[in-house]
Amino acid sequence: MASVSSQPQFRYTQPPSKVLHLRNLPWECTEEELIELGKPFGKVVNTKCNVGANRNQAFIEFADLNQAIAMISYYASSSEPAQVRGKTVYLQYSNRQEIVNNKTAADVAGNVLLVTIEGPDARLVSIDVLHLVFSAFGFVHKITTFEKTAGFQALVQFSDAETATSAKNALDGRSIPRYLLTENVGPCTLRITYSGHTDLSVKFQSHRSRDYTNPYLPVAPSAIDGSGQLTVGLDGKKLEPESNVLLASIENMQYAVTLEVLHMVFSSFGPVQKIAMFDKNGGVQALVQYPEIQTAVAAKEALEGHCIYDGGFCKLHLSYSRHTDLSIKVNNDRSRDYTLPNVSTVTMVNSQPSILGQQPSNVSMVTTNPPQYSGAQYAPTEQVGMPQPLAAWGVAAAPPAPQSMPMPMPMSMSMPMPMPMSNHSYMPPRYGNMPPHPGTMHMPSQSGLSQTMVYRPDHIQ
DNA sequence: AGCACA
């Protein structure tokens, strides 16, 4: 009962302190402005701004008590009051002797970001999408994801605080571009603060965590079945059984994708036996049959996510079909069996003006001499055309140019392959003449290669 | 216009 202090809550004179209390500050007064204000009187060693319910109070701590006294004394007798941005601020000694800055980790810039993915389908966002998004700002060392009361969160580790800061500034409050998400995933907004961590501990490559600096890290046992086969991809999705038949869906189909175009694109990997195109929930899909599973695998890995046309148009999404042999009933503009001894069909395909350049789409040649996609083909060929990643985020100010840090050790399971055509005899098309398409932009791939430009027809200019 | 989220 006797514990209530007899001290008045506010006194009109206070014992000197090297900490000064400021009030009536302008909205969102910065630390810099406080330092500017105190600097004439001594060394400001600490500040705290945005204090109080109205966030218009602050504290300045001087190195020496005499400096604080000098400032108070000066303004006590000055005809000009202390001002910040023309607003009079009121000074007095603080009733504390030092500023205690309970800066949380979230306030201290660090190399690791705490990312909260907001949205009803947030947990459907794969770690690969996060990696792609954050790689636009620099090499991402590690990512861990977890569920907390705050929702679905990720820790994203960069080399340094500067890189992390540029990512934070550009991405905080923004939504992941729709084209990076599958159709079943709703809008996902990113909330980003700094994490107190400096180095994440990643034990396994899994659908929950990755260490991009250590591709030899074992894959999580939970992702491997009894046979030692991967049943879960590193993105956490179940791996479909491989098949010689690919299901291609075409996103953002601004231009007609014909059977011939598909044949040409897919023939780069080996002979295409059959193609069947059909409409599926508003889009166009196609089944593409190779004789060999390996060919389909190569085509899928190389083409997945890439666009048939420059500019983000006609983006391919590939999966393995359950089919192994398509039954083509009729050769028309939607379906074709290239194995039939139908001279007119073969002639037509081979006499197609060689849109791809000099390379004839000679099926047998490709068959006997399949393209090899070795590491040498990682050589970036499209730096000129590297799009700014953030246009899709609706950011007015251009972000720093994406740094295409090469992976020290590419993880073959998650690395997008460079376009197979890049080093072929014809040149990949450059950005330039394509009609712009608002709202569509490409994220840079981890390898630094553009993800676009499978093929560019002459008839589109 | 009066002292720092617990």
Side-chain angles (χ1 to χ4, degrees), chain A residues 391-406:
Chain A
W393 299 72
V395 179
Q403 298 158 18
S404 46
M405 299 282 288

Side-chain angles (χ1 to χ4, degrees), chain A residues 61-125:
Chain A
E61 180 177 337
F62 284 99
D64 189 85
L65 178 63
N66 291 334
Q67 298 167 349
I69 294 172
M71 184 166 180
I72 291 291
S73 304
Y74 175 82
Y75 284 114
S77 57
S78 167
S79 54
E80 290 289 310
Q83 291 184 325
V84 172
R85 284 182 237 160
K87 196 162 188 273
T88 297
V89 306
Y90 301 91
L91 304 172
Q92 62 190 150
Y93 296 116
S94 171
N95 53 24
R96 299 196 199 181
Q97 290 306 116
E98 61 190 5
I99 291 178
V100 290
N101 263 344
N102 337 329
K103 269 191 182 167
T104 70
D107 302 319
V108 181
N111 65 319
V112 178
L113 297 177
L114 172 62
V115 181
T116 305
I117 300 106
E118 296 178 344
D121 305 318
R123 50 193 50 68
L124 297 181
V125 176

Side-chain angles (χ1 to χ4, degrees), chain A residues 327-392:
Chain A
S327 87
I328 304 291
K329 303 210 167 48
V330 56
N331 276 355
N332 59 21
D333 63 342
R334 303 278 279 177
S335 61
R336 192 150 302 161
D337 183 344
Y338 297 94
T339 64
L340 290 182
N342 182 336
V343 177
S344 67
T345 299
V346 172
T347 304
M348 199 215 76
V349 169
N350 281 342
S351 62
Q352 178 82 6
S354 189
I355 300 168
L356 292 176
Q358 297 72 32
Q359 184 137 326
S361 70
N362 182 324
V363 169
S364 63
M365 187 206 86
V366 176
T367 309
T368 54
N369 189 14
Q372 297 294 311
Y373 307 116
S374 64
Q377 302 211 355
Y378 275 86
T381 57
E382 276 300 319
Q383 292 296 344
V384 173
M386 273 295 275
Q388 294 285 321
L390 281 198

Side-chain angles (χ1 to χ4, degrees), chain A residues 196-247:
Chain A
H197 292 90
T198 55
D199 190 22
L200 305 174
S201 155
V202 176
K203 304 273 195 318
F204 297 105
Q205 308 287 15
S206 78
H207 60 289
R208 301 180 50 122
S209 63
R210 298 288 175 81
D211 182 345
Y212 299 97
T213 68
N214 182 7
Y216 299 120
L217 201 64
V219 171
S222 61
I224 302 176
D225 72 10
S227 69
Q229 288 268 308
L230 271 184
T231 55
V232 179
L234 289 178
D235 56 3
K237 294 183 194 125
K238 283 250 168 40
L239 293 179
E240 320 153 271
E242 293 174 349
S243 165
N244 63 315
V245 179
L246 293 174
L247 173 64

